Amino acid sequence: QGQLVESGGGLVQAGGSLRLSCAASERTFSSHAMGWFRQAPGKEREFVASIWSGGSTFYSSSVKGRFTISRDNAKNTIYLQMNSLKPEDTAIYYCAAKAPGLAKYDDWGQGTQVTVSS
């Protein structure tokens, strides 16, 4: 399995923006589906967004229209541009990878904290 390292988290006021990055060491990164998940205190981890190897993107209803996921295969990196942030977006954000043919994400980063103040 490859190593995933998230960065870009921090403290931001409501209405502000942040861009998260996830660097992957896996050589076959371009063939993997990649996703962002988050876990708020006291809540279960939830899906945020994903991008497939072909570029198709999917979003949870709570972030659609505010967040944008993208990937740069040349840099083995995915991004999550988060705009119009809300206090309820506060969570630890995790990057995940899913190898071709697998039903579940099987490789996870350590997470990066995003805190949105009101």
Side-chain angles (χ1 to χ4, degrees):
Q1 290 183 334
Q3 181 180 6
L4 302 175
V5 179
E6 303 98 335
S7 62
L11 173 64
V12 64
Q13 289 187 333
S17 299
L18 281 175
R19 189 177 80 154
L20 304 184
S21 300
C22 172
S25 61
E26 176 62 57
R27 291 179 297 171
T28 57
F29 167 85
S30 62
S31 66
H32 286 52
M34 301 294 296
W36 287 99
F37 294 75
R38 67 186 181 186
Q39 187 167 19
K43 295 186 177 181
E44 294 186 353
R45 187 165 55 191
E46 64 174 0
F47 168 79
V48 174
S50 65
I51 183 166
W52 291 11
S53 59
S56 298
T57 58
F58 302 89
Y59 298 92
S60 70
S61 58
S62 62
V63 308
K64 195 170 185 178
R66 299 187 298 122
F67 291 10
T68 302
I69 188 171
S70 61
R71 66 192 299 161
D72 185 339
N73 289 336
K75 296 182 179 180
N76 279 11
T77 300
I78 66 165
Y79 305 95
L80 185 68
Q81 178 67 44
M82 305 185 294
N83 298 329
S84 302
L85 283 162
K86 305 175 182 180
E88 51 263 44
D89 294 318
T90 295
I92 299 174
Y93 283 70
Y94 297 91
C95 172
K98 182 169 62 172
L102 295 185
K104 295 183 178 181
Y105 288 86
D106 63 327
D107 199 4
W108 294 83
Q110 293 300 306
T112 185
Q113 176 71 47
V114 172
T115 303
V116 184
S117 64
S118 58

